[in-house]
Amino acid sequence: MKKSIIYRIALLLAMCMVLVPQVRAAEEEAEGAGEAFDAKEVIFEHVLDSYGWELPFSHCRLPLPVIVRNQEGQWSVFSSRRLTNGESYKGYMLAQGGDYNGKVVAFTAEGEAYRPLDFSITKNVMALLIAGVLLCLCFIPMARWYRRHPHGAPRKWFGFMELVFDMLYADLIKPVLGRDARRYAPYLLTVFFFIFFVNILGLVVIFPAGANLTGNISITLVLALCTFLVVNLTGTKHYWKDMFWPEVPMWMKCPVPLMPVIEVFGALTKPVALMIRLFANMLGGHLIVLVLVSLIFIFCSMGAAVLAGTTIIAVFFSLFMNLLDVLISFIQAYVFTILSTIFISLARVHGEPAVAEQPVNEK
């Protein structure tokens, strides 16, 4: 009985931690400047990158450093607090609409806006740094423990992580890659845990989490590009031979290189599939939760009864989607890893061993 009460309290706290900041932020947007609630603006503001970090349960916004270089070659470093409310600082300001909406822009002598060279520490950049620090804090002490206890049996957190490592390596990487497993395991395990960590951090909206990293196509592009480089830079000569001169009838590769073109196109579409799959699934989960929360403020003008019913439905469905996103976060990290493993194994193909001719028994 006591455990049941504890579980219910923990579930309620989790719901408050996940949903209340989203509702609070949406409410602030609706009340700001006396304007009507714009669901589209609120949703995209939360899923896109920004130069500040919204702090939950307050009206504060954590400013981040802006590092830019204009056309004259002058560097400027200042806080993003200088650019709030449409203000200009040192000739820079945040664009309010147009192609550069939400980005830092500078102006030429003729008054034309342009994008300076931007190395700012944005919300996504800061989230990447935080994820990297968390990965180091989790696995460096684990590596030290194994170095000191080479034959020991870990417990608690280390024991759980060993279970996950063993599942990935023994059940996925080694059966697919065989003798190349130890060579590629560090990269594949790093990719898995990085994607899983940033996915989970994206579900928790309280600082220092809450950045939608894998819902940003530039992040998934870099991850897919890393796999593309690993696949093609370490591919065997048989891999390249099968790509440009496959074992097909001559008319399919000369004089018209039909099959080589198809093989090259297939090699280029593999990272695209990795990029789009991860990006679309994680962005979709964030959008669904934000849309459900936005329904509360869309129906708030229809009376107290409608508002109460909409709030209950939206909160519980949002909680369900957040819990489902925890499972999806693991699945998407696992799918990205297993596809990367398969692509690497296809590039590590070796020539068929020669079959010795068997002597014919003479009768």
Side-chain angles (χ1 to χ4, degrees):
M1 184 65 181
K2 292 182 178 180
K3 290 185 178 180
S4 177
I5 296 175
I6 294 175
Y7 291 155
R8 292 177 184 178
I9 295 174
L11 183 62
L12 180 61
L13 291 176
M15 181 176 67
C16 294
M17 289 178 63
V18 171
L19 296 178
V20 170
Q22 296 177 0
V23 175
R24 182 70 176 267
E27 184 180 8
E28 291 173 0
E29 288 291 334
E31 295 177 352
E35 298 179 355
F37 177 73
D38 188 347
K40 179 181 177 181
E41 180 180 355
V42 172
I43 290 172
F44 280 98
E45 181 179 354
H46 284 78
V47 299
L48 297 178
D49 198 6
S50 64
Y51 291 90
W53 209 312
E54 299 82 6
L55 298 178
F57 311 108
S58 69
H59 297 274
C60 300
R61 182 182 177 90
L62 179 66
L64 297 173
V66 178
I67 307 171
V68 287
R69 179 180 182 272
N70 59 18
Q71 290 181 344
E72 289 75 27
Q74 298 176 344
W75 289 90
S76 298
V77 181
F78 53 90
S79 172
S80 61
R81 191 190 303 273
R82 304 280 188 177
L83 303 178
T84 56
N85 301 322
E87 299 176 358
S88 176
Y89 182 75
K90 293 185 177 182
Y92 300 99
M93 67 177 300
L94 286 178
Q96 306 294 324
D99 296 335
Y100 306 136
N101 184 34
K103 302 295 183 181
V104 174
V105 295
F107 297 90
T108 62
E110 294 77 17
E112 183 179 354
Y114 69 92
R115 280 280 288 148
L117 194 61
D118 195 346
F119 290 93
S120 302
I121 307 298
T122 61
K123 182 178 180 180
N124 283 349
V125 175
M126 181 63 72
L128 283 172
L129 297 176
I130 292 173
V133 171
L134 289 178
L135 285 171
C136 293
L137 292 178
C138 286
F139 297 114
I140 291 179
M142 186 175 179
R144 291 177 178 173
W145 188 92
Y146 276 101
R147 193 176 296 114
R148 296 172 183 172
H149 308 83
H151 303 292
R155 296 183 178 182
K156 298 180 180 180
W157 171 252
F158 290 169
F160 173 75
M161 294 308 299
E162 181 180 351
L163 176 66
V164 178
F165 270 100
D166 185 68
M167 179 196 70
L168 293 172
Y169 183 77
D171 298 337
L172 170 61
I173 299 175
K174 191 173 182 179
V176 176
L177 291 177
R179 60 184 180 183
D180 292 324
R182 292 182 63 88
R183 178 179 180 183
Y184 294 97
Y187 167 73
L188 295 170
L189 292 172
T190 301
V191 166
F192 172 83
F193 284 106
F194 173 78
I195 295 176
F196 181 66
F197 270 51
V198 298
N199 285 348
I200 294 299
L201 289 175
L203 299 179
V204 183
V205 297
I206 296 178
F207 180 81
N212 185 29
L213 284 179
T214 46
N216 187 317
I217 199 167
S218 61
I219 303 296
T220 59
L221 171 62
V222 173
L223 291 172
L225 184 60
C226 290
T227 296
F228 176 78
L229 293 176
V230 170
V231 169
N232 290 278
L233 293 180
T234 63
T236 63
K237 61 180 181 180
H238 300 281
Y239 166 74
W240 292 105
K241 175 185 175 297
D242 291 340
M243 181 180 296
F244 293 105
W245 199 256
E247 296 294 335
V248 295
M250 183 61 69
W251 63 270
M252 299 185 69
K253 53 188 176 183
C254 184
V256 179
L258 178 61
M259 286 304 298
V261 170
I262 294 176
E263 291 291 339
V264 172
F265 182 76
L268 295 176
T269 55
K270 288 175 183 176
V272 176
L274 287 174
M275 173 185 67
I276 298 299
R277 182 189 300 272
L278 181 59
F279 162 73
N281 281 281
M282 299 312 302
L283 179 63
H286 287 273
L287 290 178
I288 290 174
V289 174
L290 290 171
V291 168
L292 289 171
V293 175
S294 299
L295 291 177
I296 299 174
F297 304 96
I298 294 175
F299 288 99
C300 65
S301 60
M302 297 185 180
V306 176
L307 176 60
T310 305
T311 301
I312 294 174
I313 295 174
V315 168
F316 278 99
F317 270 97
S318 299
L319 176 60
F320 171 76
M321 286 304 305
N322 273 281
L323 295 176
L324 185 62
D325 278 342
V326 175
L327 177 61
I328 294 175
S329 298
F330 177 85
I331 292 175
Q332 290 305 314
Y334 187 82
V335 168
F336 193 98
T337 305
I338 192 172
L339 289 178
S340 298
T341 306
I342 293 173
F343 295 158
I344 292 173
S345 68
L346 294 176
R348 298 296 301 170
V349 63
H350 298 278
E352 293 291 338
V355 179
E357 295 185 0
Q358 298 295 332
V360 180
N361 293 328
E362 296 182 357
K363 295 184 179 180

